[in-house]
Amino acid sequence: MYKPVNLSTDIYYVGVNDRKTSLFENMWPLDKGVSYNSYVIADEKVAIIDTVEAGQFEKWLAKVRAILNGRNVDYLVVNHMEPDHSGAIRILTELYPEMEIIGNKKTIPMIEGYYGITENCKLVKEGDSIELGNNKLSFYQVPMVHWPESMVCFEENNQILFSSDAFGSFGTLDGGIFDDELDFDSYIDEMRRYYSNIVGKYGNPVQKALQKLGGLNIKMIAPSHGPIYRENIERMIKMYDQWSKYEGEEGVVIAYASMYGNTEEMAEVTARAIAEEGIKNIKVYDVSKTHPSYIISDIFKYKGLILGSPTYSNELHPNMESLALKIQHMGISNHYYGVLGSFTWAGAAAKKLNVVAETLKWEVVAEAVEEKHALKADKYEACRELGKAMAEKLKA
Ligand code: FEO
């Protein structure tokens, strides 16, 4: 039994929710789960757009079969090879041996590499299309959104963009599947956490993809994770544009590591000084308590960042070192920056945290504040000055 979910007359949603997996890519917490979206076009020809993670195969296949009602599958479109979408390819080829697998020149070798499949692969390039009857799918390459082979397809007659990872979100679809069936705003934090941590490194490729797809008259965006958009299309595109340009809002993230509370106190004093200057969006995080994916999501949201760490065996506190490296690897640009640190016998943390700004060419709002032992009056005041300088920049 399955009541189909239609995007249009011949196009169906056959995605599944995953509330069991704890970590996406075995890294990113899935507190609200995730959906693996897949679509069936049952026209004169039958096409499936992407599959699901292997463990979700049974649930997914039941939906697909309910739609197909005994028909064969003509095409499997592989927009993206990451196994959360390609995990059911091999078993699907065994069930439908005549099915052609559609991918680009980077997809096809990956299909062989991951699944040993070399037959019935149909190569498509930029602008190619396939006719299914009433529906016609055209293909556009969007390399590095999220992998080199990533592509999207556009159904011309219903003007639906099957956007793969682009415009995806963490969070299961709890009844509502389309954005006008659910509380869109309640998904925004998980959209941004998904974007920033999974695709965020690739701001330039996202910009290129937005420009390329900007010429299409899109009535619906059907991504591979999260809600399908038919009401908030412009809003989604605008958010993606801002995130991929690293255009943060007025606000600041203060992320610190602290063993015995001294660096934490510096963070508190700095946060208070920022608030006194009228900045309301101040997010203070202990990196040993909050998973970095949430901190990084807010770093994408806000223009200001202050990192604080004690010196630990002449290095950064390991949890701050991990966050600082992640930020550098992601190549986040366009931020105002400040540094806090404390030490007991030799200070090294501030110098190491300064490297983040050098690497990413961020504007440093004030000299790093580094205290020996507990916080005392002059460094207390220096923290306040750092906070004021950050607030001034944010308000400018
Ligand atoms: Fe949802 Fe890059 O896979």
Side-chain angles (χ1 to χ4, degrees):
M1 285 176 295
Y2 175 61
K3 183 170 183 301
V5 177
N6 286 76
L7 279 69
S8 72
T9 309
D10 305 316
I11 306 181
Y12 301 87
Y13 175 79
V14 289
V16 293
N17 286 317
D18 181 356
R19 296 186 181 85
K20 283 189 180 162
T21 302
S22 302
L23 296 171
F24 187 76
E25 296 181 341
N26 214 13
M27 274 182 282
W28 316 106
L30 289 173
D31 299 344
K32 296 182 177 176
V34 67
S35 71
Y36 310 110
N37 298 349
S38 166
Y39 304 92
V40 170
I41 304 179
D43 201 338
E44 289 166 25
K45 299 272 188 185
V46 170
I48 297 176
I49 300 174
D50 289 315
T51 71
V52 292
E53 194 270 333
Q56 304 293 326
F57 174 74
E58 293 286 346
K59 278 195 287 185
W60 172 75
L61 185 64
K63 290 185 179 182
V64 171
R65 282 185 157 150
I67 304 290
L68 296 184
N69 198 21
R71 294 184 67 188
N72 264 319
V73 178
D74 297 289
Y75 302 113
L76 170 65
V77 174
V78 180
N79 276 336
H80 182 24
M81 274 298 292
E82 190 166 6
D84 53 332
H85 310 295
S86 71
I89 288 180
R90 182 159 42 206
I91 194 156
L92 200 65
T93 59
E94 287 166 12
L95 290 170
Y96 300 102
E98 304 297 312
M99 176 184 78
E100 280 193 289
I101 303 176
I102 296 178
N104 59 48
K105 65 181 180 191
K106 290 187 177 158
T107 321
I108 307 290
M110 287 189 190
I111 293 172
E112 180 179 5
Y114 272 98
Y115 304 114
I117 296 168
T118 54
E119 292 183 355
N120 281 354
C121 291
K122 180 179 170 69
L123 185 72
V124 290
K125 55 187 186 314
E126 181 77 11
D128 282 357
S129 55
I130 53 167
E131 300 276 359
L132 302 172
N134 292 320
N135 296 272
K136 178 183 177 186
L137 282 177
S138 298
F139 300 94
Y140 299 91
Q141 315 301 317
V142 290
M144 302 320 298
V145 188
H146 156 219
W147 279 11
E149 89 299 357
S150 290
M151 67 177 187
V152 299
C153 51
F154 185 62
E155 200 292 299
E156 307 270 356
N157 296 318
N158 295 283
Q159 296 166 306
I160 300 172
L161 178 69
F162 296 94
S163 64
S164 189
D165 275 354
F167 307 110
S169 174
F170 290 137
T172 50
L173 296 173
D174 298 338
I177 289 168
F178 298 90
D179 60 345
D180 48 33
E181 298 177 332
L182 47 79
D183 177 10
F184 177 85
D185 286 356
S186 72
Y187 277 84
I188 290 177
D189 282 346
E190 285 295 78
M191 288 172 197
R192 193 183 56 256
R193 193 166 69 91
Y194 176 85
Y195 173 79
S196 55
N197 289 283
I198 307 300
V199 191
K201 180 180 171 69
Y202 305 113
N204 285 336
V206 170
Q207 277 293 310
K208 282 183 187 149
L210 289 175
Q211 281 158 21
K212 178 184 285 191
L213 302 173
L216 301 175
N217 186 14
I218 300 168
K219 294 273 172 59
M220 196 183 298
I221 297 177
S224 291
H225 302 285
I228 299 170
Y229 304 98
R230 57 187 179 191
E231 195 169 74
N232 293 280
I233 291 172
E234 277 185 31
R235 202 171 159 196
M236 274 308 293
I237 291 173
K238 190 172 175 209
M239 286 196 296
Y240 253 63
D241 188 42
Q242 286 174 337
W243 295 337
S244 55
K245 287 179 184 160
Y246 309 97
E247 281 179 354
E249 302 170 17
E250 182 186 278
V252 59
V253 173
I254 304 177
Y256 68 86
S258 192
M259 289 181 284
Y260 297 105
N262 294 306
T263 307
E264 179 187 29
E265 188 182 359
M266 298 172 84
E268 299 276 18
V269 170
T270 306
R272 180 62 196 151
I274 296 170
E276 284 176 2
E277 296 299 317
I279 302 296
K280 293 188 175 171
N281 292 315
I282 305 167
K283 303 287 182 184
V284 179
Y285 290 112
D286 180 337
V287 296
S288 299
K289 283 279 173 62
T290 303
H291 189 275
S293 64
Y294 295 92
I295 302 173
I296 285 166
S297 179
D298 269 347
I299 292 172
F300 271 73
K301 183 173 186 182
Y302 297 116
K303 179 90 175 164
L305 175 65
I306 295 173
L307 296 179
S309 174
T311 296
Y312 187 90
S313 300
N314 214 31
E315 301 288 345
L316 290 170
H317 184 290
N319 294 347
M320 177 51 73
E321 184 173 45
S322 170
L323 177 67
L325 272 177
K326 274 191 174 68
I327 292 168
Q328 289 174 86
H329 290 166
M330 284 180 157
I332 301 168
S333 64
N334 206 11
H335 272 64
Y336 298 132
Y337 186 60
V339 163
L340 302 167
S342 64
F343 64 96
T344 296
W345 65 94
K351 194 173 163 196
K352 288 178 182 291
L353 286 177
N354 280 336
V355 170
V356 177
E358 290 161 20
T359 307
L360 298 171
K361 301 184 171 50
W362 286 351
E363 183 173 348
V364 177
V365 300
E367 197 175 329
V369 186
E370 193 165 39
E371 177 64 286
K372 185 173 185 178
H373 306 151
L375 184 59
K376 292 171 279 297
D378 59 337
K379 294 295 165 66
Y380 185 101
E381 204 45 50
C383 289
R384 288 187 51 78
E385 290 303 319
L386 169 61
K388 282 184 201 167
M390 177 60 79
E392 289 307 319
K393 280 288 177 193
L394 292 172
K395 289 190 292 186

